[in-house]
Amino acid sequence: MAPSKPPRLLDQVREVARLKHFSLATEKSYVYYIRDFILFHNKQHPKEMGAPEIRAYLSHLAIQRNVAASTQTVALSALLFLYRQVLDIELPYIENIERARRSQRLPVVFTRSEVKCILANLDGIQHLIVSLLYGTGIRLIEGLRLRVKDLDFEYHQITVRDGKGQKDRLTMLPG
């Protein structure tokens, strides 16, 4: 039997992310930024790089790509995950990163009349789900995963299972 090749780096990232029960969205984001980091440094292996290369990449994201501050934070988290959890390399504190600017815009929120107009154009399951999202503030994926057993009409509450961070929580059931 021929010796098997060790798994590719991004496959290792996926495996560790799944062992740590990361959401699929987090796993995909991490793989994307790790791959982008490697490509940014001309396909150099991360074991051959360190804090200066991470600093250069994150500064590139902020300056040249003009990404949002939260996007830059996700990229940093992905790289720290790669080094600490996958490669088992402890990095020194990374200083002097050019930080992306936080958005000064206020979030856009629908008025009650706009919500009524949207709900008036929906029916069936879509109307039910959008009404629950609006009335409870739960995330879209949480609303789509709801089951009948999660609704408690006596106590007017909804059990949100496996929400963000794989946690269950209770929220109110709107009238």
Side-chain angles (χ1 to χ4, degrees), residues 7-173:
R8 296 174 53 204
L9 180 64
L10 294 179
D11 291 335
Q12 290 176 26
V13 169
R14 287 183 189 95
E15 184 179 334
V16 174
R18 288 177 188 166
L19 287 172
K20 299 223 175 258
H21 302 287
F22 285 8
S23 73
L24 186 58
T26 301
E27 178 186 319
K28 286 180 178 180
S29 293
Y30 279 21
V31 167
Y32 172 83
Y33 286 109
I34 292 167
R35 177 185 289 126
D36 194 53
F37 170 69
I38 293 167
L39 293 174
F40 176 75
H41 289 292
N42 301 314
K43 298 185 180 180
Q44 191 174 359
H45 196 282
K47 283 185 179 178
E48 301 166 5
M49 298 186 278
E53 289 81 7
I54 293 173
R55 184 180 310 106
Y57 174 69
L58 294 173
S59 295
H60 162 77
L61 289 178
I63 298 167
Q64 276 78 34
R65 288 208 200 153
N66 199 27
V67 300
S70 59
T71 301
Q72 189 184 34
T73 301
V74 170
L76 174 60
S77 297
L79 296 175
L80 292 176
F81 171 77
L82 169 68
Y83 279 93
R84 291 177 180 163
Q85 306 294 324
V86 179
L87 300 175
D88 202 27
I89 297 172
E90 196 58 41
L91 292 170
Y93 181 75
I94 303 171
E95 297 179 298
N96 302 325
I97 297 172
E98 182 68 33
R99 300 300 297 188
R101 305 267 184 256
R102 287 257 175 225
S103 173
Q104 297 300 317
R105 290 174 284 163
L106 292 174
V108 177
V109 179
F110 289 124
T111 64
R112 287 181 185 220
S113 61
E114 289 171 328
V115 171
K116 285 180 183 177
C117 183
I118 291 169
L119 290 174
N121 288 295
L122 297 173
D123 58 359
I125 294 174
Q126 289 85 7
H127 184 273
L128 176 64
I129 291 172
V130 172
S131 297
L132 278 173
L133 295 178
Y134 176 69
T136 61
I138 60 177
R139 295 173 179 87
L140 176 61
I141 194 69
E142 295 169 344
L144 295 174
R145 288 182 180 158
L146 281 177
R147 296 174 290 180
V148 172
K149 74 176 197 172
D150 298 330
L151 305 173
D152 187 340
F153 293 102
E154 187 176 336
Y155 289 104
H156 301 285
Q157 63 188 21
I158 297 173
T159 303
V160 178
R161 299 185 191 281
D162 286 333
K164 191 167 183 176
Q166 312 295 180
K167 294 183 179 85
D168 294 352
R169 70 177 196 283
L170 295 175
T171 188
M172 56 140 194
L173 178 64

